[in-house]
Amino acid sequence: MILRRIGILCEKARKLAMTSINSRPFTVLVEGNIGSGKTTFVEHFKQFEDISLLTEPVEEWRNLRGWNLLDLMYKDPAKWAMTFQSYVAMTMLEMHRRPTSTPVKLMERSIYSARYCFVEHMRKEGTIHPAQFAVLDEWFRFIDREIPIEVDLIVYLRATPSVVYERIRKRARSEEQCVPLSYLEALHSLHEDWLVNRTHAECPAPVLMIDADLDLSQITEEYKKSEHQILRQAVNVVMQSPNKLSPKKPITSSAIKIVPQMRL
């Protein structure tokens, strides 16, 4: 029954995304802090054949012709942040523009969070020179202005910095072991100002907000219970949005909360 409903939703998404001569997938960005469970969320939807999943290209960042740019950036951000973020922008743009054969595309992070959260943090902290920031910002503005990047919905996995800090320590990626709690707190604040408070940068699509503080083993079950609600809301939110025909316009409506219930 649920697969039949999902199929109906996907068909609605397909029709919603029709242009005069082509169709594009209903595109969902999954955003959140480091360790907020984005990969777990995206991979949960592997069971649906009508959804294309694009995970964050971390392995590309860890191996560019043998160079681990992610590791270099964490170890010496003043030297490597510009190089790393330039490559991030290129790989994320490729993901945005990658053709899919399904009516729904679920994408982990985006060129927007790269600019509005990570590059913005580097600017505020003085990690990159103002001239380097100017180059990255001009690249972003050019892409946003000249290259079609359609976004229909943002799913924000909202997690407390102390919670994601413990998750990062447990998953033990070698590059992330030097990440301090203060960095996660700063990124959390930038995500909040972008997606919830709407005081920083433009929000390119309506936002669904999920409480991601639950243990990952528990929240996987919550994803399973709420998958129909998420996809239904994805269609409903965009259909009701006055900006649905122009994704480039900033969205000003408040984020919609999907808060999983704690099991005792």
Side-chain angles (χ1 to χ4, degrees):
M1 177 64 72
I2 191 168
L3 288 177
R4 180 185 175 190
R5 291 178 178 177
I6 293 294
I8 294 173
L9 289 170
C10 290
E11 182 58 26
K12 287 183 178 179
R14 189 200 304 273
K15 291 179 179 178
L16 180 65
M18 287 291 291
T19 63
S20 59
I21 56 175
N22 293 310
S23 65
R24 65 171 182 84
F26 181 92
T27 301
V28 181
L29 306 181
V30 182
E31 301 285 4
N33 209 336
I34 302 168
S36 59
K38 298 180 299 300
T39 302
T40 302
F41 179 89
V42 171
E43 290 185 347
H44 172 74
F45 287 85
K46 280 183 176 178
Q47 61 188 301
F48 301 118
E49 61 182 17
D50 285 332
I51 303 178
S52 294
L53 308 178
L54 301 180
T55 56
E56 198 172 24
V58 175
E59 291 308 311
E60 294 182 44
W61 305 341
R62 297 172 87 176
N63 184 9
L64 173 61
R65 303 183 184 181
W67 295 101
N68 189 333
L69 295 183
L70 182 62
D71 187 53
L72 290 170
M73 191 275 298
Y74 275 133
K75 288 181 176 177
D76 192 352
K79 181 177 180 180
W80 290 101
M82 172 71 173
T83 302
F84 176 71
Q85 287 299 334
S86 297
Y87 191 54
V88 167
M90 189 189 79
T91 55
M92 296 306 299
L93 177 59
E94 189 278 327
M95 286 178 61
H96 280 293
R97 300 296 296 153
R98 188 181 303 172
T100 60
S101 59
T102 59
V104 179
K105 178 167 74 172
L106 207 61
M107 184 171 157
E108 184 182 3
R109 283 224 180 100
S110 66
I111 198 168
Y112 296 105
S113 53
R115 165 60 185 88
Y116 294 147
C117 298
F118 292 89
V119 171
E120 185 64 19
H121 176 262
M122 292 173 179
R123 182 193 69 82
K124 285 187 172 184
E125 293 297 309
T127 305
I128 55 178
H129 189 279
Q132 293 176 318
F133 169 76
V135 171
L136 291 173
D137 190 49
E138 283 301 311
W139 264 115
F140 173 80
R141 290 171 182 268
F142 174 80
I143 291 170
D144 190 47
R145 183 178 66 249
E146 301 293 339
I147 303 176
I149 298 177
E150 296 88 0
V151 182
D152 297 299
L153 180 74
I154 297 174
V155 174
Y156 174 34
L157 301 183
R158 192 186 199 187
T160 306
S162 59
V163 172
V164 297
Y165 180 69
E166 290 303 316
R167 288 179 186 168
I168 290 171
R169 291 180 61 189
K170 289 179 181 178
R171 75 184 182 187
R173 279 183 186 167
S174 59
E175 300 90 351
E176 295 175 344
Q177 293 313 293
C178 60
V179 174
L181 177 60
S182 59
Y183 180 58
L184 300 172
E185 290 172 338
L187 288 178
H188 175 75
S189 178
L190 286 167
H191 278 87
E192 291 286 296
D193 287 344
W194 173 38
L195 298 175
V196 181
N197 303 323
R198 310 296 170 86
T199 58
H200 164 63
E202 293 183 354
C203 189
V207 177
L208 287 178
M209 185 165 56
I210 298 179
D211 180 358
D213 272 351
L214 291 177
D215 181 83
L216 292 183
S217 61
Q218 292 178 302
I219 207 167
T220 299
E221 291 301 312
E222 296 296 340
Y223 294 159
K224 185 175 182 180
K225 290 190 296 184
S226 64
E227 61 201 17
H228 174 64
Q229 182 183 16
I230 290 171
L231 289 175
R232 175 172 55 81
Q233 291 284 355
V235 175
N236 289 344
V237 167
V238 174
M239 290 181 70
Q240 294 168 8
S241 170
N243 301 298
K244 63 179 180 294
L245 297 180
S246 183
K248 292 293 184 182
K249 292 183 180 180
I251 302 298
T252 57
S253 57
S254 299
I256 298 171
K257 294 183 180 180
I258 298 180
V259 182
Q261 295 182 349
M262 270 283 200
R263 293 193 300 275
L264 302 178

